[in-house]
Amino acid sequence: QKEVEQNSGPLSVPEGAIASLNCTYSDRVSQSFFWYRQYSGKSPELIMSIYSNGDKEDGRFTAQLNKASQYVSLLIRDSQPSDSATYLCAVTDFTGANSKLTFGKGITLSVRP
Amino acid sequence: DTAVSQTPKYLVTQMGNDKSIKCEQNLGHDTMYWYKQDSKKFLKIMFSYNNKELIINETVPNRFSPKSPDKAHLNLHINSLELGDSAVYFCASSQGAGGPRNEQFFGPGTRLTVL
């Protein structure tokens, strides 16, 4: 049974700070990693995907992947109140048609003005 | 332009009733999914279809029956609704399955309340 663990929240940071969200996964064959943002009452929205070790930057977001340690993280620089949401880590593998996303339980981020 | 749409947005019904939720995507994707998000916000896959063929069927009660008339549509029919079925149901789609093609895009959700 694949497991995706996200560190317990909620996480509160002041505006302008760096928010660091972490995720670990149990299945070593996992190959694809995604971060989704979900505002209250809304649907999950894909914000980052990462497939190889290292960092991937997109605007204020940086995803970091370390397959040896089986963790993936999301850094949000210059956090804004509009970043306040639940962030879901999701993991999948390359096993073809029956590949599926396994989601973590999410961590709620609150950015204080 | 709505990429993944679902109807209805809200569904309130009595225990024992049968209801359906419809989903359509205009992204040209081959794979569609149904997820259930419970009150604790845990998002769990129920089914996936690839080009109208059932690919993933998680341990979901037989009362739930998905149907895909074509690769742009995936409907979910629920028989004999129970209190525990109350949740938000999300439809999603992706180009395919596996790897980067598994970047999934979600519909707005259907909040089902069973009384």
Side-chain angles (χ1 to χ4, degrees):
Chain A
Q1 179 87 14
K2 295 177 191 173
E3 289 187 356
V4 178
E5 301 279 344
Q6 294 186 245
N7 52 346
S8 58
L11 178 65
S12 180
V13 300
E15 186 173 354
I18 295 175
S20 176
L21 313 175
N22 298 321
C23 173
T24 58
Y25 57 95
S26 63
D27 192 343
R28 281 201 170 272
V29 302
S30 298
Q31 295 289 334
S32 305
F33 308 86
F34 307 91
W35 282 99
Y36 283 81
R37 178 177 61 198
Q38 187 174 23
Y39 291 114
S40 181
K42 300 295 185 184
S43 58
E45 173 193 7
L46 180 64
I47 55 171
M48 288 289 283
S49 55
I50 187 166
Y51 308 105
S52 54
N53 277 330
D55 295 359
K56 179 181 177 183
E57 190 174 316
D58 183 0
R60 295 185 297 111
F61 297 100
T62 298
Q64 299 175 317
L65 175 60
N66 184 323
K67 289 186 180 179
S69 301
Q70 294 177 239
Y71 84 77
V72 57
S73 62
L74 180 69
L75 300 179
I76 306 175
R77 289 182 301 282
D78 187 24
S79 295
Q80 301 296 309
S82 59
D83 295 326
S84 298
T86 296
Y87 290 80
L88 302 166
C89 172
V91 171
T92 188
D93 55 37
F94 277 117
T95 55
N98 61 349
S99 176
K100 63 182 181 184
L101 284 186
T102 301
F103 282 85
K105 292 189 177 181
I107 181 166
T108 299
L109 172 66
S110 175
V111 181
R112 310 187 299 270
Chain B
D1 287 346
T2 304
V4 184
S5 59
Q6 290 178 234
T7 53
K9 193 169 170 65
Y10 299 97
L11 194 48
V12 181
T13 188
Q14 299 287 332
M15 259 190 346
N17 284 349
D18 304 338
K19 290 293 178 187
S20 291
I21 307 171
K22 295 186 176 182
C23 178
E24 177 181 358
Q25 55 94 5
N26 63 6
L27 296 167
H29 287 169
D30 288 336
T31 308
M32 296 185 73
Y33 311 81
W34 278 113
Y35 285 88
K36 178 180 180 180
Q37 189 169 47
D38 60 25
S39 57
K40 295 184 179 177
K41 307 299 183 189
F42 188 44
L43 194 61
K44 192 154 191 285
I45 190 165
M46 300 172 69
F47 304 101
S48 83
Y49 272 74
N50 183 263
N51 214 356
K52 302 192 296 176
E53 182 184 345
L54 180 65
I55 299 297
I56 292 173
N57 184 347
E58 290 293 281
T59 49
V60 178
N62 289 340
R63 299 181 295 103
F64 291 79
S65 51
K67 276 200 173 65
S68 181
D70 55 62
K71 72 175 192 176
H73 296 84
L74 179 61
N75 304 323
L76 183 65
H77 188 76
I78 316 170
N79 290 325
S80 304
L81 278 155
E82 299 178 357
L83 292 177
D85 298 333
S86 295
V88 180
Y89 292 84
F90 287 104
C91 176
S93 74
S94 67
Q95 280 187 312
R101 288 168 58 81
N102 208 342
E103 291 183 358
Q104 296 183 19
F105 298 87
F106 283 76
T110 296
R111 183 173 294 276
L112 171 65
T113 303
V114 182
L115 304 174

